[in-house]
Amino acid sequence: MAMKKYSVWTFEMFLRFVFVGSFVLCKGQEEDMSSSSVAPMKKQEQEALYSAIQGFVGNSWNGSDLYPDPCGWTPIQGVSCDVYDGFWYVTALNIGPVYDNSLRCTGRAEFTHHLFRLKHLRTLSFFNCFFSPHRNPARIPTSNWENFTNSLESLEFRSNPGLIGTIPNTFGHLKNLQSLVMLENGLTGDLPPEIGNLVKLRRLVLAGNRFLGRIPDSFGDLVELLILDLSRNKLSGALPVTFGNLTSLLKLDLSNNMLKGELPTEMRSLRNLTLLDLGSNQFSGGLAQSIEEMISLKEMVISSNPIGGDLIGIQWEKLQELEYLNLSDMGLTGNIPESMTEMKRLRFLGLNSNNLSGRLSPRLESLPCISSLYVYGNNLTGKLEFSEGFYRKMGKRFGAWGNPNLCHQAALMSKTGNFVYGVKPCKQETRFSDGVPNAKMISEGNWNQNSHLVASLGGSSCGLDGFWWAFIVHGIFVMLL
């Protein structure tokens, strides 16, 4: 009897569980259907999305069959959506092979007017989408960008060699844009002054194209900029003095252009700058004293410019954060100042291929982080007075060849091995003049004038090299913006 009673109770519990479970399941399905119905996608938005994508990936791509609910249960890789006024709208469109299942462009990729119907678009990017400037060149549309005036925050074109022509001046309508990246494309022409209207920009990267002409003065109006990279173009003319307004700037890279003139003194205002690269241009007129005011610098490269002048006028000891300093091939003259030995974080110092003279201070050895020192190709004189430990630590990262009147201590080298490539050993020659002994250092031995620099930066306990630090900082900014 007890067994029967227990069985009935168990059966009742089972029925109750099935009923409740079915009720919960049905209620959950109703809620899912309800939430889906609360945020449907308007037909015109859906059709605009399919047609815009087709323009880039080809007409054989049938979005309505493959992705009938692109903002719901059949999402498209590279497409993101959000709800506005109870409807789904596309907020991000990323075209290109970022992931295995990403949208990939055909050889006939093109912009269509459907793209500009996505009125809530916040992010738009194209990676490796336009392949050939000869077989199928593409141009950025010049009209309809005003449709994105209040929405678009990030616009990127990366690695598109088939994307030619100029930057449309209608980009100036994108008043909410925070990131504009046009990296390694086939773009040319002048930089439009209208970019200066984009006052919310925090990142402007136009590197690796073929842009011409001067940098517009209006770029100085971009006071919220953190990153400005115009490197690897054909820009010419002087730097705008308005650059002094960019006080928030963390990275400024203008390398590998044809810029000329003196460095403007207004650059002293860039006190937050951590990376300055002006290398491989045509700047002249000597080093501006304003450099010493950029006290946050971690990396400074001004190499391969006919700047001339000397190093004496700069108070180098003010640059206590500096880790990487490259002043090679600049036509510099005079002595290497002792104040350079006060930059305690310095890891890399490049002063090679100049006309520097005088002695090389042994105090450079006392820099706690130094791991690369290049002074080859100058007119330095006298005897190198570094210790055995210094030479062992530096190895081939110390370069002093090409200084005809420079010599090293032969006795020290016989113990440590000749780490001073291309520098002759010193020899004491005793002479008598009027009965007074006189010691004179002469040089002997052969050295190879065609020695090549082995530019390994090495490691130490002082943290990352300035070059890698700048690279990582840039990466962090890219992720943050």
Side-chain angles (χ1 to χ4, degrees), residues 106-132:
T106 68
R108 297 183 178 276
E110 63 178 355
F111 295 88
T112 67
H113 66 278
H114 305 93
L115 175 66
F116 299 97
R117 295 182 182 177
L118 305 174
K119 62 180 181 179
H120 289 285
L121 204 60
R122 293 199 299 263
T123 298
L124 178 61
S125 72
F126 301 90
F127 171 68
N128 196 22
C129 184
F130 306 100
F131 314 130
S132 174

Side-chain angles (χ1 to χ4, degrees), residues 232-250:
R232 292 179 289 131
N233 285 292
K234 297 181 179 180
L235 299 172
S236 57
L239 287 185
V241 295
T242 56
F243 269 21
N245 299 333
L246 306 180
T247 55
S248 297
L249 207 58
L250 300 175

